[in-house]
Amino acid sequence: MSSIRFEESSVFNQLASFEHQQVVFCHDEDTGLKAIIAIHNTVLGPALGGTRMWSYETEAEALYDVLRLSKAMTYKAAITGLNLGGGKAVIIGDSRNDKSEVLMRRFGRFIENLNGSFITTQDVGTSPKDMEFIRMETKYVTGVPEVMGGAGDLSPVTAKGVYMGIKASIKEMFGTDSLAGRSIAVQGTGHVGEHLVNLLRVENAKVYVSDISEERMIRVAKKYGAEAVNNNNLFDIDFDVYAPCALGATVNSETINKMKCSIIAGSANNQLADDKRDGKLLLDKGILFAPDYLINAGGLINCYSELEGYSKKRTMQLAEKIYDATLQVLKKSKQDNIPTNIAADMIAEKRIQDIKKIKSSF
């Protein structure tokens, strides 16, 4: 997935580079709404993506962010086998001070006017309550509370997907997917990280936990029988799997050099600081990288399940398919001697091209 720097390009150059179908600029003086909805691709189905509310320094930065994120959603849906396209929305503003019912409902009207080509859910700076407000104006929203027929907390499904990605990677590397006796370092013990630690410990894996919040790290370690490790000392330890579940870009030239693990598989977004460089470094070093946008797709699966009529059992079954999808990526990477992130992109692109042959855009 190529990218360009937003400050170096005009709006139309950016649209051409990212190959978007539609970008909608939403402005409403009465409510103070300034938002951008980006629909990247709808070959597989309607574009689904979260609405992020952020205090961008410039409007150009907001545009770059929404274009980049919506393209990533196309790939995430395609690689996971879902009948969804890729989209994203950003609202420019401070989510703590600028948000209101009327702002979110006005935004909902803009979504309604797209007639189902874009469906949203929560993201950074937005909440289930915001989705409730949007739902008052349009049905094209997921991530609403369980009492409204929504799926509720996304983290158990996201953790399940990561867990399946870890098991598939262990299978590829060691010939069996049993986690008993394997050592796994989970960096980040928030909602998803904690659920993942639980799944790993149930299968008798040796788990190390690390978090910038020492209090949370110690609590999770104590609760599940894991070992707490300071963030700065994490790569001094010898373990089988590194599972980044917090910040992105923790896999870079500096950390790769220190790593003793065989596998990287976690829920964090954008784990590679530089896709091209770091993917190649991992390949050369013989470290298996389970692409983040594949194994952390549980949240998207949850939203898809909501659209189909939510069932917890069916949602977990869909998340389990991440196991086979991960094996497919690792197999292609090995066969073609290419980094796993490139292999994943190629599989996603092929699915879109194949489906395009049998149907027109949604």
Side-chain angles (χ1 to χ4, degrees), residues 111-129:
I111 293 173
E112 176 66 17
N113 291 340
L114 291 170
N115 299 314
S117 60
F118 176 70
I119 301 164
T120 200
T121 188
Q122 66 197 78
D123 201 293
V124 176
T126 58
S127 66
K129 186 67 182 173

Side-chain angles (χ1 to χ4, degrees), residues 247-261:
L247 296 174
T250 62
V251 181
N252 51 59
S253 53
E254 187 185 335
T255 57
I256 291 169
N257 194 41
K258 293 178 184 175
M259 285 178 183
K260 302 171 187 174
C261 61

Side-chain angles (χ1 to χ4, degrees), residues 57-113:
E57 287 186 18
T58 65
E59 290 166 9
E61 186 185 351
L63 175 63
Y64 175 78
D65 207 30
V66 78
L67 293 179
R68 177 181 64 84
L69 293 167
S70 53
K71 183 169 184 176
M73 291 302 293
T74 294
Y75 281 72
K76 188 187 281 271
I79 193 73
T80 318
L82 301 177
N83 296 319
L84 289 172
K88 204 78 177 184
V90 295
I91 298 174
I92 301 169
D94 184 338
S95 61
R96 289 163 298 183
N97 302 314
D98 300 338
K99 201 192 290 180
S100 64
E101 175 184 348
V102 70
L103 182 92
M104 299 311 295
R105 290 182 66 170
R106 185 66 187 92
F107 178 64
R109 295 302 306 165
F110 278 102
I111 293 173
E112 176 66 17
N113 291 340

Side-chain angles (χ1 to χ4, degrees), residues 228-249:
V229 180
N230 186 290
N231 256 340
N232 298 328
N233 304 330
L234 193 61
F235 295 119
D236 296 336
I237 300 170
D238 208 339
F239 44 76
D240 296 314
V241 182
Y242 169 51
C245 295
L247 296 174

Side-chain angles (χ1 to χ4, degrees), residues 12-287:
F12 286 103
N13 281 349
Q14 287 195 55
L15 299 189
S17 171
F18 283 100
E19 301 172 322
H20 277 68
Q21 284 180 206
Q22 186 179 6
V23 177
V24 181
F25 292 83
C26 315
H27 179 246
D28 182 69
E29 206 166 316
D30 291 339
T31 60
L33 176 70
K34 278 186 177 180
I36 310 170
I37 299 170
I39 297 171
H40 178 254
N41 189 293
T42 58
V43 168
L44 300 177
L48 193 148
T51 293
R52 177 171 294 195
M53 188 165 184
W54 193 257
S55 299
Y56 293 98
E57 287 186 18
T58 65
E59 290 166 9
E61 186 185 351
L63 175 63
Y64 175 78
D65 207 30
V66 78
L67 293 179
R68 177 181 64 84
L69 293 167
S70 53
K71 183 169 184 176
M73 291 302 293
T74 294
Y75 281 72
K76 188 187 281 271
I79 193 73
T80 318
L82 301 177
N83 296 319
L84 289 172
K88 204 78 177 184
V90 295
I91 298 174
I92 301 169
D94 184 338
S95 61
R96 289 163 298 183
N97 302 314
D98 300 338
K99 201 192 290 180
S100 64
E101 175 184 348
V102 70
L103 182 92
M104 299 311 295
R105 290 182 66 170
R106 185 66 187 92
F107 178 64
R109 295 302 306 165
F110 278 102
I111 293 173
E112 176 66 17
N113 291 340
L114 291 170
N115 299 314
S117 60
F118 176 70
I119 301 164
T120 200
T121 188
Q122 66 197 78
D123 201 293
V124 176
T126 58
S127 66
K129 186 67 182 173
D130 298 324
M131 299 307 111
E132 280 188 61
F133 290 142
I134 292 171
R135 173 61 72 87
M136 291 174 186
E137 304 300 327
T138 183
K139 65 182 179 182
Y140 302 118
V141 57
T142 65
V144 295
E146 288 179 83
V147 291
M148 294 180 70
D153 185 9
L154 307 179
S155 49
V157 189
T158 305
K160 179 76 169 184
V162 175
Y163 168 75
M164 299 311 292
I166 290 173
K167 283 181 74 70
S169 302
I170 290 275
K171 169 79 172 172
E172 178 67 23
M173 181 62 77
F174 301 111
T176 171
D177 65 9
S178 171
L179 300 183
R182 294 290 170 200
S183 52
I184 300 160
V186 178
Q187 186 179 51
T189 53
H191 294 303
V192 175
E194 181 172 345
H195 281 292
L196 179 61
V197 169
N198 181 41
L199 290 169
L200 298 172
R201 288 294 297 130
V202 165
E203 210 174 321
N204 287 321
K206 163 72 176 169
V207 178
Y208 300 97
V209 293
S210 179
D211 198 291
I212 52 170
S213 165
E214 192 177 344
E215 183 188 345
R216 188 165 58 197
M217 175 178 73
I218 291 168
R219 179 186 63 78
V220 170
K222 206 171 183 178
K223 185 175 177 181
Y224 300 101
E227 186 176 327
V229 180
N230 186 290
N231 256 340
N232 298 328
N233 304 330
L234 193 61
F235 295 119
D236 296 336
I237 300 170
D238 208 339
F239 44 76
D240 296 314
V241 182
Y242 169 51
C245 295
L247 296 174
T250 62
V251 181
N252 51 59
S253 53
E254 187 185 335
T255 57
I256 291 169
N257 194 41
K258 293 178 184 175
M259 285 178 183
K260 302 171 187 174
C261 61
S262 305
I263 294 161
I264 299 170
S267 68
N269 287 310
N270 306 313
Q271 290 169 27
L272 305 184
D274 182 308
D275 282 351
K276 195 172 179 181
R277 179 198 68 199
D278 299 331
K280 182 74 166 63
L281 283 174
L282 292 172
L283 180 70
D284 292 345
K285 194 169 177 178
I287 297 175

